[in-house]
Amino acid sequence: MAKVGLQALSLGQKASLLTGGGFWSTAALPEAGIGAIVLADGPHGVRRQKHGTDHLGLHHSEPATCFPPAVAVGSSWSEEVASKIGAALAEEARALGVDVLLGPGVNIKRSPLGGRNFEYYSEDPLLSGVLAAAYVKALQAGGVGASLKHFAANDQETERMVISADVDERTLREIHLSAFERVVTEAEPATVMCSYNKVNGIHASENQWLLTQVLRTEWGYTGVVISDWGAVRARPVALKAGLDLSMPGPGHHSTQALVEAVRDGRVEESEVDRAAERVLALIDAAGRQPASPDLNAHHELARELATECAVLLKNVHGTLPLNRPASVLVVGEFATTPRYQGGGSSHVNATRVDVPLECIEAHAAARGTTLMYARGFDTREEDGDALREAAVRAATEAEVVVVFAGNPEAEETEGLDRERLELPPAQLQLIKEVAAVAPRTVVVLANGGVVSLEEWHDDVDAILEGFLLGQGGGAAIADLLFGAANPSGRLAETIPHRLKDTPTYLSFPGEQEHVRYSEGVMVGYRYYETVGAPVRYPFGHGLSYTDFDVSELRVLVDGPAEASVAVTVTNTGARAGKYVAQVYVSTQTGPVRRPERTLAAFAKVPLEPAETRTIQLSLDRRAFAYWDLPLARWVVPGGVYVVQVGENASTILHEQVVHLDGDGVRPPLSLQSDVSEWLAHPVAGGPLKDRLAPLIAQGGPEPVDDSDMMRMVGSMPMGQILNLSGGAIDGDWLVSLLDSSDTRT
C-alpha cells in the first residue's frame, strides 16, 4: 500500500494513479511503495474474476454466495436485511482479495421496462436511500469499500452510453439524486461511480455540476469518484469536472493525456494532486484483513433473508399456506432451473443453488402429500404445445397446482431494456389453461421487474411474487408455500394494469439520443395516487398469513419543520409475523404541484400473536420539503400537512392534520415576478393594491369588477405594469417597500 507522500511523486506517476492499472485494479507504483487495490462487481455477491476479464458477466468468476438482489431487498422494506447482506459480503470480499465492491445501485425505477431494474431497490428514493445506507454502513464496517452507483439519472439501458437524460432540477433533486444524497451524507461510501449517460446534454463523467458542485460542495463528499467501466471520453475534461479514477486500465494514453494537459495549461497540476490524494487515501484504507467466511452459513442466511423479500400478492380461499393437501402438482421450468439473479456485470457464480422442486418435495414428504411435476413450458420454446397439454392433463388430478412462471434471464439483463410488460405468451396460455381445470392454482413469479398480471390474475387463487431471490430462493419459496415462513414483503414498485397506464409510457426510453423525464416528480405511486389512476397492486402492498390491527396514530409537531409519529400495531392473528408501518405525508402547501402523498418514514417490526407494539418514527424537514428553483434550496412552506399511516400507498388507515410554521422563507421578488406574487407579500402587498385600485377603476367608461380586473393583472410581470402605469407606480417606490420589509424581519 501507499508508503510515500504525494510530493515525492512525479507528475507522470501522479497521473498514472488516476487510471486503472488493469481491468479490476488500480495502478501500482512499486518503486514508490504503492500497491494496487482490487475492485469487483457485486451488489448482491462478489464477482471476482481471476482468469478472464469482462464487465458483462460473460467470463467465469470465483464461487461466491448470491444473496437476494436489490429488487428483492427493496421488497423486504428491511434495513436489517440490507445490513446483513452488506456484512456477509464484506467477509467474502476480503476472502477473495477484493477491496472495493461495486454497489449498491440506487437508480430509480421510473419505468417497469428498465432492463437493470433488478439491480435497483425501488421507485421511491426514501426507501432506496435508507436500504442502501444500511448496506453501505455494514459493508464498510466489515473493511470493504462501497461504490455508490450509477450517478446519476441512469434509469434505462437503451442507448445507455449516449442517451441524454433531460430532467429539470426539481425532479433531479427530489427523485433521482435524493437516494444518492442520503447514502453520501449518512454512510460516506468509499467511492461514487458516475454513469455512462449524459445528464442534460453533458456526460456524467464530465459533468462538473454533478460531480463537484452537488456531490462535493453541497453534500460534502470526500471520497473517490470513479467512472463506470469505459465511461470516460476526454480524460482532462473529466478530471476538471471532478472525476478522480478512470476505469478500467491499463491507462497509458489516459496518463499521457493528463500530463500533456498540465504542460499546455489546460489542467492545473493541483487538480491532478487533489485526485491523486483521494486515490492514495483509498489505497491506504484498504487493510486487506484476512477472512474465512462460512459459506454454508452464508447460504442459510441467503435463504433466511429471501423469505422476507417475497411478496404475497393474492390469497383467496385460504389457499396458502398449503396445509396438508392430498396432492400437489408443480408446473414450470423455473421449478427445476430457477431464476434467482439477473444478467450482466452483477451475475454471481453461486456456491450452490436451492432448487424449488427439490425443496417442495421435502415439505410434501413430511406432510404425506403426493407430489407431481410437469415442465409445462420451455424457455427455448421447444415442444411448447406438448409440454402445455401434458401439464393441463396432470392438473385435473391434483388438489393444488403451483405454477412457476417468470421472465427468462435473457430478457432481464444489463444492456437491454424489456420490450413487454406481460409474461412470455407460452406461459400466459399455460397459466390460463391450468387454472381452468385445477381446483386451486397458485402462481409463483420469478422476474427482475414487475410483470402484468391482467390476462390471468382473476383465474388463479394465489400469487406469490418472488422477484429474484438469490441462491437460497428455492428453499425460501418452499418455506413460504408450506407455511414454514410467513411472507412479509411489500411491493417497492407499483404493478400497473397496463403499460399504457405508466407515467413514462410516452417518454421511455426516448428517441434520437434524448429521453425526457416528462413525468417530473410524479414517479410511480406519486403519479397513480395524484391522478387517481387505478393499479393492479399499489406500492407498499403485501399480504401475510396473520392479521394486524393498526390504531392510535399520534403526531407531535417538534419544530417549525419537524414532527414525530407514534402508531400502535397489534398482531391479531394466530401466528408470528412482521408488519411494515408506512408513513406518508400529503400536502398542497407551497407554490409547486405536490404529489398526492409521499413516503416519509417506514419501519418493519416482528410481532408474536396478540403482541402489541408502539412504533415511533421521526419526520425531519425533508419529509415536508420541496426543491425551490428560484431559491435553489430545500424549502418547507408554512401551512397544513396531513400525516398518514397507510396499509399501502393507496389505502390510508389513519391520518392526522398538523400545521407547520415552516422555514418562513419568502420567494425573492423582482420586476419579473407576477403582480400576484407582489400582492401576496406581507409588507409590499397592501400599499401596492392601494396604488393599483384607482388605476383599474380608470380603465374605461363601463363599470368594471375590480376583483376580476385584479385577477387579470395578477398574472402580468410587475415590470410590465410599471410600463403601463404611466408613472403612477415606479420602481424606486417598489424597492423602498421591500427595503422597509427587510427592516421589520
Side-chain angles (χ1 to χ4, degrees):
M1 297 305 160
K3 300 297 183 183
V4 300
L6 194 67
Q7 67 279 0
L9 301 179
S10 68
L11 173 60
Q13 288 174 315
K14 291 182 291 189
S16 71
L17 292 173
L18 306 185
T19 304
F23 204 86
W24 295 114
S25 64
T26 61
L29 293 175
E31 68 278 13
I34 299 173
I37 61 171
V38 173
L39 305 91
D41 271 313
H44 55 270
V46 184
R47 194 171 75 88
R48 175 72 157 106
Q49 291 182 296
K50 292 184 178 179
H51 306 287
T53 56
D54 75 292
H55 191 50
L56 296 175
L58 302 177
H59 289 293
H60 178 78
S61 59
E62 298 299 305
T65 306
C66 180
F67 288 96
V71 61
V73 178
S75 296
S76 76
W77 287 63
S78 171
E79 291 181 74
E80 183 180 13
V81 168
S83 182
K84 286 183 176 180
I85 291 175
L89 287 179
E91 284 190 43
E92 296 198 20
R94 296 199 331 258
L96 290 168
V98 172
D99 303 295
V100 175
L101 208 54
L102 303 179
V106 294
N107 295 99
I108 296 298
K109 303 181 184 184
R110 63 181 292 262
S111 168
L113 297 183
R116 215 168 175 178
N117 278 1
F118 62 87
E119 280 194 52
Y120 306 135
Y121 293 104
S122 175
E123 68 186 21
D124 180 82
L126 175 74
L127 180 56
S128 296
V130 168
L131 296 178
Y135 169 97
V136 170
K137 289 176 183 177
L139 178 72
Q140 297 193 157
V144 176
S147 190
L148 184 65
K149 63 182 189 179
H150 304 88
F151 192 58
N154 181 205
D155 309 310
Q156 66 184 66
E157 295 300 284
T158 301
E159 295 188 306
R160 63 175 178 156
M161 302 287 186
V162 297
I163 197 77
S164 174
D166 298 338
V167 49
D168 68 274
E169 187 174 355
R170 182 186 168 210
T171 298
L172 271 174
R173 298 281 190 168
E174 294 189 21
I175 303 296
H176 299 282
L177 298 183
S178 183
F180 287 98
E181 180 184 5
R182 180 177 295 274
V183 180
V184 166
T185 57
E186 294 184 3
E188 300 179 352
T191 70
V192 171
M193 181 191 292
C194 82
S195 54
Y196 288 120
N197 57 289
K198 300 173 186 174
V199 179
N200 292 324
I202 303 173
H203 274 94
S205 63
E206 301 174 2
N207 198 311
Q208 192 273 342
W209 178 83
L210 195 64
L211 302 185
T212 297
Q213 180 178 325
V214 173
L215 181 60
R216 295 202 185 278
T217 304
E218 297 182 24
W219 298 350
Y221 183 63
T222 59
V224 175
V225 175
I226 69 173
S227 73
D228 204 338
W229 266 232
V232 173
R233 300 163 59 255
R235 188 64 187 97
V237 177
L239 177 71
K240 291 184 72 66
L243 189 134
D244 302 310
L245 178 60
S246 175
M247 292 298 293
H252 307 301
H253 296 296
S254 180
T255 298
Q256 188 60 33
L258 285 179
V259 170
E260 291 176 359
V262 171
R263 288 173 176 167
D264 65 21
R266 288 178 291 128
V267 171
E268 297 291 334
E269 187 167 357
S270 60
E271 295 174 299
V272 174
D273 290 348
R274 280 194 296 270
E277 284 173 348
R278 295 183 190 122
V279 173
L280 285 175
L282 179 67
I283 294 171
D284 282 336
R288 287 287 173 90
Q289 307 166 34
S292 300
D294 184 338
L295 295 181
N296 288 326
H298 279 190
H299 177 79
E300 291 305 312
L301 177 63
R303 169 182 175 171
E304 171 195 332
L305 299 181
T307 62
E308 286 205 45
C309 300
V311 183
L312 183 59
L313 297 178
K314 179 181 181 180
N315 191 26
V316 298
H317 311 304
T319 300
L320 293 179
L322 299 175
N323 293 317
R324 298 186 181 278
S327 59
V328 172
L329 170 68
V330 174
V331 176
E333 179 183 324
F334 295 142
T336 56
T337 308
R339 282 270 347 258
Y340 60 94
Q341 64 178 324
S345 61
S346 68
H347 197 279
V348 178
N349 180 17
T351 57
R352 56 194 265 208
V353 178
D354 286 339
V355 177
L357 182 62
E358 295 174 0
C359 299
I360 290 171
E361 187 174 23
H363 282 280
R367 291 164 173 76
T369 297
T370 300
L371 183 67
M372 301 172 283
Y373 173 69
R375 186 172 183 127
F377 66 88
D378 187 307
T379 54
R380 295 166 298 182
E381 300 182 356
E382 297 177 359
D383 301 320
D385 291 342
L387 291 172
R388 183 184 69 257
E389 291 166 2
V392 173
R393 286 194 300 271
T396 63
E397 302 173 3
E399 184 176 329
V400 178
V401 178
V402 180
V403 181
F404 281 76
N407 286 325
E409 184 175 309
E411 295 185 13
E412 295 181 317
T413 183
E414 179 179 355
L416 299 172
D417 288 319
R418 289 165 56 192
E419 295 182 357
R420 63 167 183 265
L421 196 59
E422 297 79 16
L423 289 172
Q427 295 183 43
L428 292 175
Q429 188 175 355
L430 172 68
I431 294 171
K432 291 179 68 67
E433 292 187 14
V434 165
V437 300
R440 290 282 186 270
T441 304
V442 178
V443 175
V444 178
L445 292 171
N447 41 284
V450 296
V451 296
S452 172
L453 316 177
E454 295 313 300
E455 292 191 43
W456 50 271
H457 175 275
D458 295 343
D459 300 329
V460 304
D461 303 282
I463 305 172
L464 183 62
E465 173 58 275
F467 290 112
L468 303 177
L469 292 176
Q471 69 181 55
I477 289 293
D479 288 346
L480 292 165
L481 290 174
F482 285 90
N486 191 352
S488 62
R490 301 291 185 269
L491 288 176
E493 53 191 306
T494 307
I495 301 180
H497 284 296
R498 306 175 306 166
L499 185 61
K500 289 182 178 180
D501 297 333
T502 61
T504 59
Y505 176 67
L506 294 178
S507 61
F508 182 92
E511 56 196 17
Q512 297 184 324
E513 300 185 5
H514 285 267
V515 54
R516 293 184 303 107
Y517 281 46
S518 57
E519 72 280 6
V521 300
M522 302 298 178
V523 175
Y525 73 90
R526 288 168 164 80
Y527 168 79
Y528 298 112
E529 295 306 312
T530 301
V531 303
V535 299
R536 173 52 70 184
Y537 287 112
F539 174 85
H541 169 76
L543 304 177
S544 172
Y545 294 153
T546 191
D547 298 306
F548 300 95
D549 178 71
V550 181
S551 61
E552 300 180 27
L553 170 65
R554 299 174 298 284
V555 184
L556 296 177
V557 175
D558 298 328
E562 300 86 24
S564 56
V565 177
V567 64
T568 299
V569 182
T570 302
N571 183 346
T572 60
R575 62 177 296 165
K578 293 186 177 182
Y579 185 77
V580 177
Q582 304 170 39
V583 176
Y584 296 86
V585 168
S586 178
T587 187
Q588 291 305 317
T589 299
V592 296
R593 182 68 178 265
R594 312 285 288 268
E596 174 62 25
R597 65 181 53 93
T598 301
L599 183 69
F602 66 92
K604 190 173 191 177
V605 294
L607 292 163
E608 295 296 322
E611 182 181 2
T612 296
R613 291 185 61 175
T614 297
I615 302 171
Q616 296 182 327
L617 296 165
S618 297
L619 305 184
D620 63 16
R621 66 186 312 275
R622 285 289 287 273
F624 306 101
Y626 73 94
W627 181 262
D628 190 281
L629 290 174
L631 294 175
R633 54 167 287 189
W634 293 97
V635 171
V636 178
V640 174
Y641 296 81
V642 184
V643 179
Q644 304 172 323
V645 173
E647 183 65 24
N648 50 60
S650 290
T651 305
I652 300 304
L653 304 175
H654 304 282
E655 63 183 29
Q656 182 177 328
V657 176
V658 297
H659 186 280
L660 298 180
D661 292 337
D663 298 334
V665 174
R666 293 193 299 267
L669 293 178
S670 70
L671 294 184
Q672 298 304 312
S673 303
D674 292 346
V675 171
S676 60
E677 296 177 77
W678 280 87
L679 292 174
H681 192 278
V683 175
L688 177 60
K689 187 174 183 179
D690 291 341
R691 285 283 182 97
L692 284 173
L695 295 177
I696 291 174
Q698 299 171 10
E702 299 296 327
V704 177
D705 186 324
D706 290 354
S707 61
D708 287 344
M709 184 63 72
M710 195 68 76
R711 282 194 294 270
M712 184 186 77
V713 301
S715 64
M716 299 172 65
M718 194 66 229
Q720 190 171 356
I721 292 296
L722 295 184
N723 293 334
L724 296 175
S725 70
I729 302 175
D730 64 76
D732 291 340
W733 176 73
L734 286 173
V735 170
S736 70
L737 290 179
L738 295 182
D739 289 342
S740 66
S741 73
D742 289 338
T743 62
R744 298 186 191 187
T745 57

